[in-house]
Amino acid sequence: MDRRDPITTARGVGPVLGRRLAAAGCRRIADLLAHLPLRYEDRRTLGRLPGAEDDAKESVQPGPLTVVARLEDLRRPVFLKGRAGRRRFSRVEAVARDGAARVGVVWFNRPYLARQLEEGVPYLLHGPLRRRGGDGPWQLSNPSVERIGGEEPDGGGLRPVYGRIGEVPPSRVARLVADAIRGLRDTSGPEWIEEWLPREERTKHRLPRLAEALTEVHSPSRETSIEDLNARRSPAHARLAYGEFLLQQLQLAAARRQRRRSGKPHRYHADAAAWTAATGLLPFRLTGGQERVLGEIADDLGRKEPMLRLVQGDVGSGKTVLAALSCLIAARSDLQSALMAPTELLAEQHFVSLARLLGSRMAIALVTSSQRAASDGGAVEERIADGGIDLVVGTHALIEERTRFARLGLAVIDEQHRFGVVQRQSLAGKGFRPDLLVMTATPIPRSLALTVYGDLDVSILDEMPPGRRQIETRVTTDGGMEEAVEEVRRRLESGGRAYVVFPLIDGGEGAAAGLPSLMESGPKWARALAAPSGIVHGRLGRQERDETMGSFADGSIQVLLATTVIEVGVDVPEATAMVILGAERFGLAQLHQLRGRIGRGTDPALGEPLCIAIAGEPSPEAERRLEVFAASTDGFRIAEEDMRQRGPGEVLGTRQAGLPRFRFGDLARDWSWLVAARQDAAELLDRLTDPENDALRRQLGRRIPGLLS
Ligand code: ADP
Ligand code: MG
């Protein structure tokens, strides 16, 4: 028996069960072992049923109880109609007796128990003991129930409780796992699964061996802390999480090293004076943070291997400016650069501001898919291909489609949280090895930065340009419109501008949920705010959108009624107010991103920037989200919280974004193990060829064939 054997070789698994397990992704014995218990029950001490004499005493407390008792008065199941007659509920009742003590037992939705259980024989019962109706007689509700022979010495220790695997019920899963571990140990001895974690790492972190860890998570020994187990923080759980992180970090470290080894074909001709001259073109002085990050970029560009750097910084911290300077340096070195934005609107904005700043010093072109559709793209593409254009600004259509460069040196990906790692790789896959600068305004949690973007170097811009004002954020419910109108009007009167953000363009599907839409509620807001207004959303043509945005920027329109198309990058310094409708529908990161559109100006006459989030009927989670949103403007804090609430997959958008799927480790919970794995991996890479690490190399090879050839 081997853990890589098909599941059908496990004891008790025939073809039918084998198919059901396989249908749920459990194909090999190893998959079964990776199915960890959801929680653990503490059955280490056998209790007693409360007797009549205990009734008045304080000594009996409600809570989980493990007892051996005989059943009597076993009733037939009672079926109850659920709401709307849809679902049926069933109830089976009995009395548990232990000497003179008698306590009622009730099971819900397990009608078969009435047939299976027998009166008068001893059972081990485990479940919550509580008073019926809060102060009535004691009752055991929904206890697990097992027939016991005479020899059971205690309640059964620490019991794992599993979730189902597809259609296979938890109790069956428990038996299969226990049998599998016993079987593996019987055939291969105590070292029934190959240990691949080097001794050094095991000792350093005081972690159990793999066989022991797997045994412990599935059948913990009595001394283990139940709290640690249930929090998945036992040494055994830690071993599994750390091991998993370490494998992934080793792959990343290997990829980084490989990248370091291979050079890039192009060179920059830029000394310190060139950078200073470029910086001098800006109408302001760089912040200390910008200086530092620019230094890191300059270092990277000067190296022989291509840059792969992620710049994280809150909205408005001045990232795009750094990208612009880098592109200028590239042009001075006779290299082309590309700046890619997630939306056309943002690409167009970048194009306009870059053209304003650098247009006289380099040839800049805009490439978008709508422009291509208008078929005026051909000429531009030719000029890119023959090297006549220094900087190409566009959406990721740039990398997906046919754009060919004569000598691409630098690629900037703005707002990486919207790009997948996939796109990043597809760029590299196009055959060129440009320096890659990735910008994200939604700071991703550090733990994600280490995993998903673990092969990147990370710069952090944690300082805002001077004069930025703290944005006040208020969260109200639907009744809050009047207050919002009043506050916004005050700001409009002093020359400010305001955004009103809607979750939907028009009624349609979402209207049923009572969500405000741009088309239906927009006019009402426009009237109430009594200022010239315009509308933008994703379905408008480019020209119309441009015109409206232009009017908003120059002040002929003061109110912009919009969907989340304005989420990224739009830069209007006079905007000091934002109302977000249906705020319960937005994720934390998105809310933060939206809010970043206001308070970018420094003119004190405009008044304090204010964001009002109006929520319809927030769920408890939405309420919590909005609370965090109102309490913090720190992007990193918001990102961590966002990940805690929604999980790493959601935070990144899609699985495709390159998020490795960890079976054991949890990026939020096991953060410190991830950090340890990252550090260890860098160092372990040098020892990887030692004979004692054969098993580790095999383990790595299994995950990504050929990586370490
Ligand atoms: P980000 O890309 O991080 O959101 P930008 O680079 O677009 O930030 O900068 C936001 C705004 O702040 C722009 O209007 C930019 O011109 C301005 N800005 C950037 N750096 C500075 C600075 N050091 N001092 C003053 N204004 C700055
Ligand atoms: Mg930017």
Side-chain angles (χ1 to χ4, degrees):
M1 188 174 179
D2 185 272
R3 80 199 144 103
R4 282 187 294 277
D5 287 347
I7 192 79
T8 42
T9 61
R11 192 160 108 207
V13 182
V16 176
L17 183 55
R19 265 198 301 280
R20 281 162 76 198
L21 287 166
C26 186
R27 293 187 183 81
R28 302 170 314 154
I29 302 220
D31 298 326
L32 194 58
L33 298 180
H35 189 76
L36 298 195
L38 295 177
R39 61 189 174 85
Y40 299 82
E41 280 175 2
D42 190 352
R43 301 189 187 185
R44 284 174 294 193
T45 39
L46 214 49
R48 300 207 69 100
L49 293 172
E53 74 284 0
D54 293 319
D55 226 30
K57 282 197 226 145
E58 298 287 308
S59 61
V60 183
Q61 293 290 328
L65 178 68
T66 313
V67 286
V68 173
R70 284 162 213 274
L71 298 176
E72 41 189 58
D73 285 350
L74 192 59
R75 315 268 174 78
R76 296 210 285 165
V78 177
F79 289 95
L80 308 149
K81 277 242 160 62
R83 233 172 296 144
R86 276 221 202 95
R87 246 191 85 184
R88 294 211 308 169
F89 294 94
S90 77
R91 195 175 66 213
V92 171
E93 288 188 83
V95 170
R97 182 197 222 10
D98 172 14
R102 297 177 87 237
V103 163
V105 188
V106 60
W107 289 279
F108 297 102
N109 299 322
R110 292 158 82 185
Y112 51 88
L113 284 178
R115 260 184 296 113
Q116 288 174 0
L117 299 176
E118 277 178 62
E119 294 192 352
V121 297
Y123 285 99
L124 181 70
L125 301 169
H126 175 92
L129 178 74
R130 48 171 83 112
R131 285 188 181 276
R132 219 158 138 174
D135 56 0
W138 289 107
Q139 187 181 52
L140 265 178
S141 70
N142 254 336
S144 61
V145 50
E146 283 161 45
R147 184 109 178 222
I148 51 166
E151 80 280 17
E152 190 96 2
D154 63 10
L158 294 166
R159 257 324 159 76
V161 180
Y162 291 88
R164 43 181 61 244
I165 299 183
E167 307 264 277
V168 182
S171 55
R172 191 68 178 274
V173 172
R175 249 176 296 141
L176 289 173
V177 176
D179 284 349
I181 291 182
R182 209 170 303 126
L184 286 163
R185 200 169 36 210
D186 289 349
T187 33
S188 320
E191 194 62 6
W192 51 269
I193 185 164
E194 185 177 46
E195 182 57 64
W196 47 260
L197 185 60
R199 180 196 306 274
E200 188 170 330
E201 276 66 29
R202 263 189 349 250
T203 326
K204 179 160 83 180
H205 300 300
R206 297 213 193 91
L207 292 170
R209 301 176 69 84
L210 185 53
E212 188 190 332
L214 282 168
T215 310
E216 271 288 310
V217 288
H218 289 294
S219 53
S221 45
R222 293 185 67 95
E223 314 75 64
T224 319
S225 142
I226 180 93
E227 288 77 25
D228 283 357
L229 282 171
N230 276 326
R232 296 198 171 195
R233 286 198 163 125
S234 72
H237 283 99
R239 160 68 170 88
L240 298 178
Y242 168 80
E244 189 172 39
F245 288 151
L246 186 69
L247 291 178
Q248 197 241 357
Q249 291 298 326
L250 274 169
Q251 286 161 12
L252 289 173
R256 272 164 75 101
R257 182 165 292 189
Q258 203 155 33
R259 172 163 63 82
R260 288 262 141 78
R261 266 202 225 110
S262 49
K264 56 190 174 195
H266 53 271
R267 283 281 171 281
Y268 294 81
H269 315 289
D271 52 10
W275 284 97
T276 310
T279 311
L281 297 174
L282 297 174
F284 44 73
R285 288 185 48 167
L286 293 181
T287 65
Q290 283 172 315
E291 293 271 8
R292 176 170 42 78
V293 174
L294 200 62
E296 289 164 353
I297 295 172
D299 273 355
D300 283 356
L301 294 183
R303 282 178 210 281
K304 289 197 197 72
E305 65 273 6
M307 165 170 73
L308 193 44
R309 181 167 293 278
L310 175 72
V311 178
Q312 296 202 49
D314 228 328
V315 174
S317 58
K319 299 178 298 295
T320 303
V321 163
L322 301 183
L325 293 176
S326 310
C327 294
L328 181 62
I329 290 292
R332 294 266 158 92
S333 308
D334 206 22
L335 294 169
Q336 290 174 299
S337 45
L339 181 82
M340 289 168 277
T343 66
E344 298 219 341
L345 189 59
L346 185 55
E348 289 153 16
Q349 286 220 338
H350 278 333
F351 174 68
V352 171
S353 55
L354 288 168
R356 202 187 306 130
L357 188 65
L358 305 170
S360 62
R361 290 159 208 277
M362 59 202 278
I364 309 179
L366 178 68
V367 173
T368 58
S369 50
S370 56
Q371 171 212 31
R372 273 200 176 131
S375 85
D376 60 344
V380 172
E381 279 174 11
E382 249 168 61
R383 293 187 56 211
I384 298 170
D386 68 21
I389 301 281
D390 298 307
L391 167 60
V392 183
V393 183
T395 65
H396 57 264
L398 260 180
I399 49 173
E400 285 170 1
E401 290 172 30
R402 301 145 293 179
T403 308
R404 292 179 51 84
F405 292 86
R407 34 169 213 292
L408 184 66
L410 171 66
V412 181
I413 302 182
D414 203 19
E415 312 296 355
Q416 161 76 26
H417 70 289
R418 306 206 126 203
F419 280 103
V421 171
V422 178
Q423 274 104 329
R424 200 173 85 212
Q425 284 158 353
S426 98
L427 186 66
K430 275 190 92 168
F432 35 64
R433 307 176 46 76
D435 289 288
L436 199 54
L437 189 56
V438 182
M439 312 283 206
T440 177
T442 302
I444 46 173
R446 288 175 307 166
S447 48
L448 281 185
L450 289 191
T451 49
V452 181
Y453 303 121
D455 58 333
L456 278 72
D457 299 302
V458 179
S459 296
I460 293 181
L461 257 186
D462 48 9
E463 190 180 338
M464 283 290 183
R468 286 291 152 76
R469 249 160 305 126
Q470 193 72 10
I471 302 168
E472 187 194 336
T473 303
R474 291 184 207 158
V475 176
T476 67
T477 47
D478 277 342
M481 178 170 172
E482 258 174 59
E483 177 208 324
V485 167
E486 173 123 349
E487 291 282 2
V488 173
R489 279 179 71 159
R490 265 226 312 275
R491 283 168 179 77
L492 295 176
E493 276 157 21
S494 49
R497 319 247 209 289
Y499 295 100
V500 183
V501 184
F502 296 81
L504 299 169
I505 299 182
D506 46 35
E509 350 72 82
L515 281 178
S517 74
L518 184 51
M519 293 309 168
E520 276 164 31
S521 313
K524 190 174 69 179
W525 280 88
R527 271 196 308 279
L529 291 172
S533 65
I535 291 183
V536 284
H537 56 75
R539 278 194 236 140
L540 287 184
R542 174 179 163 205
Q543 201 181 346
E544 198 174 340
R545 223 169 50 200
D546 274 0
E547 272 165 24
T548 311
M549 290 300 307
S551 313
F552 186 65
D554 71 25
S556 49
I557 283 176
Q558 273 191 290
V559 177
L560 202 59
L561 306 161
T563 58
T564 54
V565 290
I566 56 134
E567 179 186 341
V568 186
V570 183
D571 196 3
V572 178
E574 292 83 5
T576 49
M578 174 175 285
V579 180
I580 304 174
L581 300 169
E584 75 275 17
R585 289 290 289 250
F586 296 113
L588 248 182
Q590 198 172 25
L591 288 168
H592 180 64
Q593 196 75 20
L594 282 168
R595 178 172 57 187
R597 299 302 113 217
I598 62 169
R600 303 189 127 214
T602 49
D603 182 356
L606 293 170
E608 295 304 311
L610 174 70
C611 175
I612 300 182
I614 302 183
E617 282 176 24
S619 63
E621 299 91 75
E623 222 162 276
R624 212 174 127 49
R625 252 192 333 262
L626 291 167
E627 235 167 68
V628 175
F629 176 57
S632 179
T633 47
D634 174 351
F636 282 96
R637 164 107 219 272
I638 286 188
E640 292 285 347
E641 186 61 35
D642 194 31
M643 184 174 83
R644 203 163 304 136
Q645 291 192 14
R646 292 192 302 151
E650 289 295 311
V651 169
L652 280 176
T654 58
R655 290 235 176 83
Q656 278 209 342
L659 179 68
R661 297 224 279 147
F662 296 114
R663 287 212 70 152
F664 306 117
D666 177 286
L667 293 176
R669 182 191 58 215
D670 303 315
W671 157 246
S672 59
W673 286 114
L674 177 64
V675 174
R678 169 134 173 131
Q679 284 163 357
D680 295 344
E683 189 242 329
L684 190 51
L685 206 54
D686 296 324
R687 292 189 274 127
L688 209 52
T689 46
D690 292 358
E692 62 177 25
N693 290 328
D694 281 353
L696 176 58
R697 275 203 312 280
R698 275 197 296 280
Q699 189 65 21
L700 276 168
R702 229 169 250 140
R703 286 169 60 103
I704 290 202
L707 179 80
L708 292 160
S709 52

